[in-house]
Amino acid sequence: VQLQASGGGLVQAGDSLRLSCAASGRIFFSSHFMAWFRQAPGKERDFVAAISWNGGTTYYANSVKGRFTISRDNAKNTVYLQLDSLKPEDTGVYYCAARPSYYSGHDYPYTDDYDYWGQGTQVTVSS
């Protein structure tokens, strides 16, 4: 199973970005709960957002609620993260993650909750 994240870049505060994470290999994508985490330099990898297998339930960290939107297209084996109103504190490497689960009643906010990880895409927000 491979997860390929893309879409990062260098932007100014207030700008927007759209991250994508495409899954390939031996994965039944639509049976997986998907999430985005981010890691700033010298800090731990933190939960950003998650989405249930059918897109019906989403979860967000308080720091991004109202600015970021997670979505998925199961026909394309891809999960997205729309980043709006970006702030310098949003800077970091963004990772997508997957866990096989149809359960949508929990946000699974810990890195140990996930079985598969992408390689990360860098987001840098200048002030």
Side-chain angles (χ1 to χ4, degrees), residues 11-18 67 82-86:
V11 297
Q12 293 186 333
D15 286 349
S16 298
L17 281 174
R18 190 192 194 202
R67 300 188 298 118
Q82 178 69 36
L83 291 67
D84 295 321
S85 302
L86 281 162

Side-chain angles (χ1 to χ4, degrees), residues 18 36 51 58 60 69-73 78-82:
R18 190 192 194 202
W36 288 93
I51 188 166
T58 56
Y60 296 94
T69 305
I70 189 171
S71 61
R72 67 189 295 162
D73 185 340
T78 302
V79 63
Y80 304 97
L81 187 67
Q82 178 69 36

Side-chain angles (χ1 to χ4, degrees), residues 95-106:
Y95 298 90
C96 56
R99 63 171 280 133
S101 175
Y102 284 112
Y103 183 62
S104 60
H106 186 58

Side-chain angles (χ1 to χ4, degrees), residues 3-42:
L3 300 177
Q4 181 71 40
S6 62
L10 172 62
V11 297
Q12 293 186 333
D15 286 349
S16 298
L17 281 174
R18 190 192 194 202
L19 307 184
S20 299
C21 173
S24 62
R26 298 177 64 86
I27 181 172
F28 185 45
F29 181 77
S30 61
S31 69
H32 282 68
F33 189 94
M34 301 296 296
W36 288 93
F37 286 72
R38 69 185 178 191
Q39 189 167 19

